């Protein structure tokens, strides 16, 4: 995913558009690059979930559904670019909001599943960071201009939390 993001932001200055997806949708080649990067990331996450995280923690069906829904959302976000004033834009935004709810929910489910374990503390810290980012976005005037940055941090908190949880 990192090479795809590097390519997108090399082509379109970071902060020029509202979101990462809009940066990518500005040109056909950046749309393809971000989509390919997201598909690759979804494939790696699916392997990580199936081969490592799910067996390690022996998650029940709610967590499995949440993890696989997040993979499905990543694939859909990769396949449906964010074109403003088209149906793709509305679908992309809807799926993005599903992910905004799903990411802290996955961390919450992990925290509840491993309550009392150090990894539940990591998940709880990830949730607090994500909720803080949402609070900053909605509570601080002028943060709409910084949405792509906050979006990037929000996603990285989720992925970093999953990585640390898997490592523990």
């Amino acid at each position: 995913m990192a090479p795809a993001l590097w390519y997108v932001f090399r082509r379109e200055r970071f902060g020029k558009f509202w979101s990462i997806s809009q940066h990518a949708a500005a040109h056909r080649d950046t749309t393809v690059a971000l989509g390919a990067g997201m598909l690759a990331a979804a494939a790696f996450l699916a392997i990580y979930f199936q081969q490592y995280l799910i067996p390690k923690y022996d998650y029940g069906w709610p967590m499995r559904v949440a993890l696989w829904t997040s993979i499905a959302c990543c694939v859909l976000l990769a396949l449906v670019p964010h074109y403003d004033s088209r149906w793709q834009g509305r679908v992309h935004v809807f799926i993005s909001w599903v992910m905004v709810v799903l990411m802290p929910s996955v961390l919450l489910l992990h925290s509840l599943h491993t309550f009392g374990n150090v990894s539940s503390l990591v998940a709880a810290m990830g949730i607090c960071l994500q909720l803080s980012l949402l609070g900053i976005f909605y509570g601080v005037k002028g943060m709409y201009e910084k949405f792509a940055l906050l979006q990037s941090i929000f996603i990285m908190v989720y992925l970093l939390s999953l990585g640390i949880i898997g490592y523990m």
Side-chain angles (χ1 to χ4, degrees), residues 6-95:
W6 173 81
Y7 180 73
V8 167
F9 291 117
R10 186 180 64 105
R11 180 85 193 261
E12 286 298 325
R13 182 178 44 83
F14 191 82
K16 182 177 179 184
F17 293 102
W18 198 62
S19 70
I20 296 169
S21 303
Q22 287 175 327
H23 277 82
H27 304 284
R28 178 152 174 68
D29 58 329
T30 53
T31 302
V32 170
L34 186 69
M38 287 184 70
L39 287 174
F44 285 125
L45 277 175
I47 292 166
Y48 175 66
F49 291 163
Q50 187 64 32
Q51 299 297 321
Y52 189 71
L53 203 61
I54 291 172
K56 178 177 181 173
Y57 289 104
D58 192 30
Y59 290 131
W61 69 267
M63 183 65 158
R64 290 174 191 240
V65 167
L67 289 172
W68 288 111
T69 302
S70 70
I71 296 297
C73 286
C74 283
V75 169
L76 288 172
L77 287 171
L79 297 176
V80 181
H82 188 170
Y83 296 130
D84 283 333
S85 68
R86 288 193 189 163
W87 68 268
Q88 292 101 328
R90 291 187 298 276
V91 169
H92 190 92
V93 167
F94 175 77
I95 297 167

